[in-house]
Amino acid sequence: MSRFNLSDWALKHRSFVWFLMIVSLVAGALAYVQIGREEDPNFAIKTMVISASLPGASVEETLEQVTDRIEKKLEDLDELDRTRSLTRPGVAVVYVDLLDTTRARELPRIWQDVRNMMADIRADFPSEFQGFQFNTDFGDVFGNIYAFTTDGYTPRELRDYVEGVRRAVQGLDDAGKVEIFGIREEVIYVEFSTERLAALGLNQDEVEQVLAAQNAILPSGEIDTGPERVLVRVGGEFTGAESIGDVNLRVGDNFFRLTDVATVTRAYADPPSEMFRYKGAEAVGLAIGMREGANILDFGAELSALMADLEQRLPIGINVHHVADQPHAVDEAVSHFIQALIEAVVIVLAVSFISLGVRAGLVVSLSIPLVLAITFVVMHAWGFTLQRISLGALIIALGLLVDDAMIAIETMISRLEVGESLGKAASFAWTSIAFPMLTGTLVTVAGFIPIGLNNSAAGEFTFSLFVVIAVSLLVSWVVAVLFAPLLGATLLPAKWDHHDAEPGRVRRTFHRVLRGAMRARWLTILVTVLAFAGAIWGMRFVENQFFPSSDRPELIVDITLPRNASIEATRAEMDRFEEVLADHDDVSFWSSYVGRGAPRFILSFDAGTPGPNIGQIIIQTPGVEARDRLRADLEALARTDFPGTDVFVKLLEIGPPVGRPVQYRITGFDVDRLREIARDFAAIMAADPRTGNVVLDWNEPARLVRVDIIQDRLRLLGLTSRDIAGALNTIYDGATITELRDDTYLIDVVGRGSDEARSSIEGLINLQLSAPDGTAIPLSSLAVFHYDTEQPVIRQENRIPTITVASAIQTSDQPDTIVADLADQVESFRQSLPPGYDVEVGGSVESSAESQAPIAAVVPMMLLIMAFLVMVQMQGFRRSFVVFAAAPLGLIGVVAALVPSGAPLGFVAILGVLALIGILIRNSIILVHEIEVQREDHGLSAWDAVFTASDSRARPILLTAAAASLALIPISRQIFWGPMAYAMMGGIIAGTLITLLFVPALYLAVFRVKRPG
């Protein structure tokens, strides 16, 4: 470091260095303007959904013939973490969850491997199997959602207008995927009367075949006349419901009009598969995504302008409502963080000016915009955006990045005081302190390595924290040794008066405390060790947390009915619930989804599996206080007015979604026994007063009518079970006969039974069928009816039936606390289970453990890198031991801050605690290095060197601690960053005392320095 002096070089090339500073500031300003904005950072959703269909199969047959085959083959996937499956009669849905260690760039290749695997086993399925559907866009985010309502227009007309809006939106350069949902599909129903068919001796299948043949599109040739070709077209295609009803048909020797045996109506799908509503009114939704890499604020402005223009063109009677506005949420979130960043900058500037004076404080203050500007340039070049994590990282880094500049200026002032010239004083920092500063900076950066190398979903979510802090700290060192000397030489006076006066009261007090700690070195060490032991013991009073809930004003209400409930029953329950919202003062507006959940409008939103028994309401409130009041009211309403219905009122989450916070999975192969065990376990959870709304994700059976065919009678009539099942399916569920081609739409022509035949069990028993010869046959003469129950759904995890028992929390306790308190009861319950059954912890506790495991795996590497850097600087085991001994002691301040404040130790706070290790080691390195300088270069005794070094380093260490801790105040008020801010503030303050008192005492003890006489 002595051969080339970067600071001296900067002084000799002043114009060029000034040019670099100006370019850095201008480039930083441009990068800040252009850099993307987000509310939260992106993370890959490493889940694929495979849907498969085996119509007519029972839930057990679907499980054995479809679900199990899919899950068994997926076990060959190297990157597989687990499979989760939901099996309904005839339908299997398998979620493929990949290992957290899977890189996001590998996902397209893996999803193609999964498709190839399914293609390989396609031939192994029953002949009735209808194939796979793959959803690799499970994590797609639709940041803007619009609801279109109408007064006076039909659903078809409304859909046409929304389609026009969709085409216009897709024309925007930054538009991504755009989807329409909540559509009422048009259907032409041909409702056959089984009694009339039987009376006329007609077979329904033959009637349907005739209709399909008439409406078919078939080539009819061309006439080549020589000079030209003339096309031939055959008419007869259906043009509407009337043209179908007017058909005269002949089946066998029978001639009849279709309306003699069926009622033909054009209507909308009944029952609908899903519904979307805005403030209780039926609506059509438009979900709009954004192209990857685009600026969401710019896209939001373009989209708003386009929608305002399109809204003016829509006819009167069609209204547009913006129900999800991610650009607005991002703008507000980023604005709040920018405000917090500005507050932190002001605090750091105030500390600099008050402690160093105007001129020296100005030098340190000018280093802040330089570091931030260069950091913005690097962030923009590497594709990072301004969002919750990166802006929080800048605030955390603010107090640390001024440390190098403070040390450099302090060193420069000390040389000016002894009479050196500005040039020599400015370049002295490079020869004396630059290398220890660099080592300390690298050690501090190494403290954040567990974030940078943590490849879990939570680690991916917080990755920008590592990048931003690492870049800003490294840049701060460059600024301190390249720009700060030039700024100091320009702004500081040529002569600095040396103050020989007695130290002030604060410094004299510190001298007395320091001498006392040095004289009673073993007592100082013992007190510190006891305090550290007390901190470890006090950790039991600190609650753990994964990620906190979001501070957004939305409130989510999940409504789940029993598994066999119809979508009409779900809609009726939601209608009752929404009546309360209409008159509530804390509700701005709401949108509701029946038969499905809302589109993923933020990445951390958990999109559930659609089903007729589920619904979801997204409520927009004026603010957080109104949201919390409304939540309490709705939870009370759910308990009193909705017995038997699972109503879960929740907040949006930050980070990877979890759902109900307290969860346990009960596994076993016998479904009936598993249900009993799960109900018993639910009683244990419900007995805890802190839990509430305990539910099982599947349990209750559904009723069924079993039709046992008398096969001998069936064969005498020339029929098969396939004929009977097909006839029943057509009557009750309907079968598509053909399609009406209407403009760009295809409208299904569906044959089904009449309302009377479809709406009662008695209608099944009295059902009349037709034999091939037209003879009427009562179904009751061919079958015996039994009433039974079966599971409407079976969930599995890794091919084992699994019931999840989940609970909300009624108090302020954290899930980890409740799970820890229930651990003994859970273990006793587990021991009482028969072989093959087990209980596993799920929910946020499991997610937190899965996210912390990669951190634990990387910590040894972090410590090894730190040890290497310390050894490079210290060049001795005893000196390195002194430096390292201070590292874990920051826990004293962490516990002292978290316990009184009640802040939990969350995932982000744990990262802050680990980062404290690097911060404390950095301070210790600089202090121990100064001790060695005093001994070797100034010839002081070991005792005097320790005192002098501690005294000279006290001011910059205290200033850095003040800047770093006070800069965290603006984010300490935030839900997400609050626990980390408290932990780091407490750790930095305690670490400062440890560095200035414990490290000197430990140095004296380790090197056996005797107290002078």
Side-chain angles (χ1 to χ4, degrees), residues 716-780:
L716 287 173
L717 296 171
L719 296 174
T720 65
S721 296
R722 182 191 296 269
D723 298 327
I724 302 298
L728 295 179
N729 181 67
T730 300
I731 291 170
Y732 290 105
D733 288 345
T736 301
I737 301 171
T738 183
E739 293 172 328
L740 179 68
R741 294 170 285 279
D742 184 0
D743 197 14
T744 61
Y745 303 112
L746 292 176
I747 300 175
D748 289 337
V749 179
V750 176
R752 65 179 185 180
S754 62
D755 287 340
E756 295 78 9
R758 291 183 289 110
S759 60
S760 67
I761 298 176
E762 291 76 12
L764 173 66
I765 299 173
N766 299 324
L767 189 64
Q768 300 284 326
L769 302 176
S770 298
D773 61 359
T775 306
I777 307 169
L779 179 60
S780 56

Side-chain angles (χ1 to χ4, degrees), residues 13 552 675 908:
H13 300 80
R552 286 180 52 146
R675 290 170 49 223
V908 179

Side-chain angles (χ1 to χ4, degrees), residues 166-241:
R166 178 187 185 181
R167 286 193 295 271
V169 171
Q170 287 175 325
L172 294 176
D173 293 337
D174 290 336
K177 184 179 293 186
V178 183
E179 293 185 353
I180 296 178
F181 61 93
I183 296 172
R184 291 287 301 275
E185 296 286 354
E186 283 189 287
V187 181
I188 295 179
Y189 287 114
V190 181
E191 297 182 340
F192 292 98
S193 169
T194 55
E195 291 82 3
R196 295 181 192 173
L197 286 171
L200 294 174
L202 299 174
N203 184 288
Q204 183 174 327
D205 288 340
E206 293 182 359
V207 175
E208 292 176 353
Q209 290 172 12
V210 171
L211 292 175
Q214 177 176 334
N215 195 49
I217 299 177
L218 295 172
S220 47
E222 300 176 349
I223 301 174
D224 189 349
T225 64
E228 65 174 321
R229 291 177 297 142
V230 179
L231 303 178
V232 178
R233 289 287 181 263
V234 176
E237 298 175 1
F238 298 138
T239 58

Side-chain angles (χ1 to χ4, degrees), residues 87-111:
T87 305
R88 298 191 185 102
V91 177
V93 180
V94 180
Y95 293 84
V96 185
D97 295 330
L98 302 183
L99 293 168
D100 277 344
T101 54
T102 306
R103 299 291 182 183
R105 62 177 177 270
E106 294 293 319
L107 293 182
R109 176 191 60 80
I110 297 171
W111 299 150

Side-chain angles (χ1 to χ4, degrees), residues 21 40 52 61 84 112 209 223 257 273 332 406 443 516 579 596 602 615 634 653 848 852 884 917 989 1010:
M21 283 191 276
D40 290 313
E61 290 171 334
R84 296 174 289 125
Q112 186 57 50
Q209 290 172 12
I223 301 174
R257 291 175 60 85
S273 59
E332 282 198 344
M406 281 184 174
V443 168
E579 288 176 359
R596 57 164 292 171
I602 61 172
L634 296 184
E653 300 176 70
S848 179
Q852 292 176 21
F884 257 109
I917 297 175
I989 293 171
K1010 295 182 179 180

Side-chain angles (χ1 to χ4, degrees), residues 339-621:
Q339 180 182 348
L341 180 61
I342 293 173
E343 291 175 3
V345 170
V346 171
I347 290 173
V348 173
L349 292 177
V351 171
S352 302
F353 281 112
I354 292 172
S355 59
L356 299 175
V358 176
R359 292 195 176 188
L362 184 60
V363 176
V364 174
S365 300
L366 288 176
S367 67
I368 295 176
L370 284 169
V371 174
L372 291 179
I374 299 173
T375 303
F376 285 140
V377 172
V378 176
M379 288 176 61
H380 185 50
W382 288 357
F384 288 92
T385 59
L386 294 179
Q387 26 76 4
R388 186 191 307 272
I389 303 298
S390 61
L391 286 169
L394 286 173
I395 295 172
I396 294 169
L398 266 179
L400 304 176
L401 60 86
V402 297
D403 189 16
D404 289 338
M406 281 184 174
I407 293 174
I409 296 304
E410 280 277 350
T411 304
M412 186 174 178
I413 291 173
S414 68
R415 304 311 298 172
L416 289 174
E417 286 180 340
V418 297
E420 286 190 355
S421 65
L422 273 174
K424 288 185 177 181
S427 61
F428 182 75
W430 176 265
T431 58
S432 63
I433 203 71
F435 192 58
M437 283 197 310
L438 178 60
T439 303
T441 299
L442 293 176
V443 168
T444 305
V445 172
F448 291 90
I449 283 178
I451 308 173
L453 299 183
N454 183 353
N455 46 22
S456 67
E460 189 177 353
F461 181 76
T462 55
F463 178 69
S464 58
L465 180 69
F466 167 73
V467 174
V468 172
I469 288 181
V471 170
S472 60
L473 292 185
L474 292 174
V475 170
S476 72
W477 180 83
V478 175
V479 169
V481 297
L482 180 62
F483 296 152
L486 178 57
L487 292 171
T490 304
L491 298 174
L492 295 181
K495 293 183 179 180
W496 197 284
D497 294 335
H498 183 70
H499 298 284
D500 294 325
E502 289 294 323
R505 182 181 301 175
V506 175
R507 192 172 182 186
R508 291 198 305 270
T509 303
F510 172 69
H511 286 175
R512 287 194 295 269
V513 174
L514 176 60
R515 287 193 180 98
M518 293 171 63
R519 289 168 184 156
R521 69 190 74 173
W522 293 110
L523 178 61
T524 301
I525 294 171
L526 178 62
V527 170
T528 305
V529 171
L530 290 176
F532 180 66
I536 295 176
W537 176 80
M539 281 296 294
R540 68 178 62 189
F541 302 107
V542 178
E543 292 196 281
N544 294 324
Q545 186 185 57
F546 183 36
F547 280 106
S549 298
S550 173
D551 53 0
R552 286 180 52 146
E554 289 93 344
L555 197 62
I556 316 299
V557 182
D558 290 338
I559 296 179
T560 307
L561 273 66
R563 294 291 169 182
N564 60 340
S566 67
I567 194 169
E568 291 298 333
T570 305
R571 179 171 65 176
E573 284 292 275
M574 294 183 67
D575 285 342
R576 287 204 304 126
F577 196 91
E578 291 180 53
E579 288 176 359
V580 178
L581 303 179
D583 301 324
H584 205 289
D585 295 334
D586 291 326
V587 176
S588 299
F589 62 84
W590 74 92
S591 55
S592 55
Y593 304 79
V594 187
R596 57 164 292 171
R600 193 187 293 271
F601 58 93
I602 61 172
L603 189 58
S604 59
F605 183 74
D606 190 15
T609 305
N613 65 312
I614 69 167
Q616 192 170 68
I617 305 174
I618 312 296
I619 308 171
Q620 187 73 35
T621 65

